[in-house]
Amino acid sequence: MNRKILTLLTAASFALFFGACGDDNSASSNGPEISCLDNEDCLDEDLSSADDEPTSSSSKKGDAKSSSSVKDSKDENKSSSSVKKDNDEGKSSSSETKDDKSSDSKSESSNSKGDSSSSETQESSSSEASESSSSEEVKPVEYANTTPNLADLEVSGDTLFAVFQRQNADYSITHNGLLAMYKLSDGTLLDTIQLATKNPSAVKVAGGNVYVATAGAYGAGYSLPADNNRGIEKVDLSKKTSSLFIAGTKLGGGVNDFVVDAKNSKGYTLIYNAYGVTPKIVEINLSAGSVIKTIGESELKDPEGSLEFDATKGILYIGERFLDWDTFEMHNNVYAYDGTTLEYISDLDPELEEYRQPYSIKAINGVPYVFVSDYNTGALYVDYADSESEGTDFYQDSRLAAVNGELFLMERGDAATIAKINTADGSATWQSIASGKNPYDMVAASASTAWVAYYGSPVLELISTSNGSSVKLIDTKEFCAVKVAD
């Protein structure tokens, strides 16, 4: 396999990693709170019994297009690079009309026809007042963005959990994040809970508790300072509130990725603080709400890639990218952490490593699958450990998903697609044009369906995992950030 050393120009593009992710902010004031729906029967009993914590906040798709990796004899099939579709973002607004109010008019007269005259005057006045009142309507909600930024999905029992970042169109953040709960089978909205902090990155369920990781609002220079405005939140489902459980002061910054080892009640967080400060992987105790240790402080040079915990083997996979500014050589790889030691999963010579960073990692039946990207090109490796293996080309920064033991790939961007992957060779079994922009996560809804989260469109979609066809679309426009008065 031809593995080239990245040039200085390519290396420089990596320094824009966090800017490319699209999460930017300098505001800190909370937006209007979204009230929870009054439904106490929406969650499993094991989730509803979460420990009390101090409260701090209360269709049809276009025809499928094959990727460049899809080998199909049909003439109609086109390569992924040629798939283009304009996905108009859903727009909706609601207006509420005030109740009509009639005002009584009192009129007095001394002649014998006074009663009749007074009655006529009253009716006329009442009619005019009614017409005037009915014409006064509440102004439609003015949204600050066309998408609520659905960032992550999680499933527990018959409930689907979703976290929304609610950024403004300019990526600033004036609203706290939002947790929404849906009925897993059909997407019925069950409840919403406003988060205590901003910019959620992941939601996980472990030990009957719901945890939400947040990066928080960005400060000067795209920093995520180690303060109490970010960290790991714990959700109280019975009280419908969420509070900061492990603050950024303990973690060392904002949380950009979060996975859990539910069996041992542990969590692993990718912590970012500021440009020039090496990100770190912090292991936490979910039962005690404490930091256990920082993993690989001496070995990990720049662990800004994806995190994945393989429950079948008890292994944490860490994607790393590192540019040696003296030699301008890229050192990208995936580490496996067994709780004690870190080791490369690839047999690559450090000087011959794949120059594109591990962007998304998913493990299925003990096997890690790695998508690499340099934000210009991307490839999927089904055997990343073998230095002679060839990657399958896909769109630059695609994301992977494991659903019911099968591998799926979501090509991001405006010409987004969703593909089911043949894990034997990395090719696409089927590939379908996505219904929205920037598909971000995918989880199982049943044995034959899955929910897809769209970051760039106000849509949550149920699709068939047999061919990618759309089963149901849920409009999430109401969760978009609302314009805040100056």
Side-chain angles (χ1 to χ4, degrees), residues 103-397:
S103 58
D104 295 334
S105 175
K106 296 183 180 180
S107 176
E108 297 180 357
S109 176
S110 59
N111 58 38
S112 60
K113 297 182 180 180
D115 292 341
S116 174
S117 175
S118 175
S119 176
E120 292 175 0
T121 302
Q122 180 174 341
E123 290 177 2
S124 175
S125 176
S126 176
S127 175
E128 292 175 0
S130 178
E131 292 178 1
S132 176
S133 176
S134 63
S135 66
E136 296 179 6
E137 297 181 345
V138 176
K139 292 182 179 180
V141 174
E142 292 189 54
Y143 294 109
N145 203 347
T146 58
T147 173
N149 313 114
L150 177 48
D152 196 43
L153 298 174
E154 174 76 318
V155 173
S156 181
D158 60 0
T159 303
L160 172 69
F161 295 87
V163 286
F164 297 87
Q165 293 180 346
R166 308 186 71 214
Q167 296 184 9
N168 299 321
D170 63 357
Y171 304 113
S172 62
I173 306 175
T174 51
H175 295 60
N176 283 12
L178 183 76
L179 171 68
M181 289 153 284
Y182 298 88
K183 187 176 180 181
L184 182 63
S185 59
D186 62 10
T188 299
L189 181 62
L190 302 172
D191 220 320
T192 63
I193 297 176
Q194 182 170 282
L195 300 176
T197 57
K198 296 177 173 64
N199 204 8
S201 56
V203 54
K204 301 296 178 187
V205 175
N209 294 310
V210 180
Y211 301 93
V212 178
T214 66
Y218 276 89
Y222 301 102
S223 65
L224 297 178
D227 56 24
N228 292 323
N229 296 320
R230 66 207 79 235
I232 302 294
E233 296 189 27
K234 187 175 182 180
V235 181
D236 188 323
L237 296 171
S238 61
K239 293 182 179 179
K240 300 180 183 179
T241 59
S242 184
S243 58
L244 196 57
F245 187 53
I246 307 177
T249 52
K250 294 181 179 179
L251 297 169
V255 185
N256 275 349
D257 203 0
F258 174 51
V259 295
V260 299
D261 173 4
K263 180 180 178 180
N264 296 302
S265 193
K266 290 182 180 180
Y268 298 96
T269 58
L270 170 57
I271 305 300
Y272 179 79
N273 180 275
Y275 180 75
V277 178
T278 302
K280 59 182 180 178
I281 308 299
V282 175
E283 182 178 350
I284 61 176
N285 185 322
L286 292 175
S287 297
S290 59
V291 170
I292 297 176
K293 61 182 176 180
T294 297
I295 298 171
E297 286 187 273
S298 59
E299 296 97 331
L300 296 175
K301 305 294 185 182
D302 194 3
E304 295 185 18
S306 177
L307 294 181
E308 168 72 352
F309 184 76
D310 180 6
T312 61
K313 290 187 174 182
I315 298 292
L316 173 70
Y317 293 104
I318 304 169
E320 182 188 46
R321 66 179 180 87
F322 172 62
L323 172 65
D324 188 325
W325 288 101
D326 294 326
T327 63
F328 300 109
E329 294 179 347
M330 293 300 300
H331 298 274
N332 296 319
N333 213 314
V334 175
Y335 282 90
Y337 177 69
D338 62 4
T340 304
T341 59
L342 274 170
E343 62 179 12
Y344 286 128
I345 69 168
S346 173
D347 59 2
L348 294 172
D349 184 294
E351 294 185 357
L352 299 176
E353 292 176 290
E354 164 66 78
Y355 66 85
R356 292 169 293 191
Q357 73 177 71
Y359 184 81
S360 183
I361 307 170
K362 287 296 175 183
I364 300 176
N365 298 323
V367 178
Y369 299 90
V370 181
F371 186 85
V372 299
S373 175
D374 60 6
Y375 298 102
N376 183 39
T377 62
L380 168 66
Y381 284 86
V382 296
D383 191 2
Y384 189 82
D386 182 4
S387 63
E388 299 302 318
S389 68
E390 294 288 339
T392 304
D393 292 339
F394 283 97
Y395 184 73
Q396 58 188 32
D397 54 348

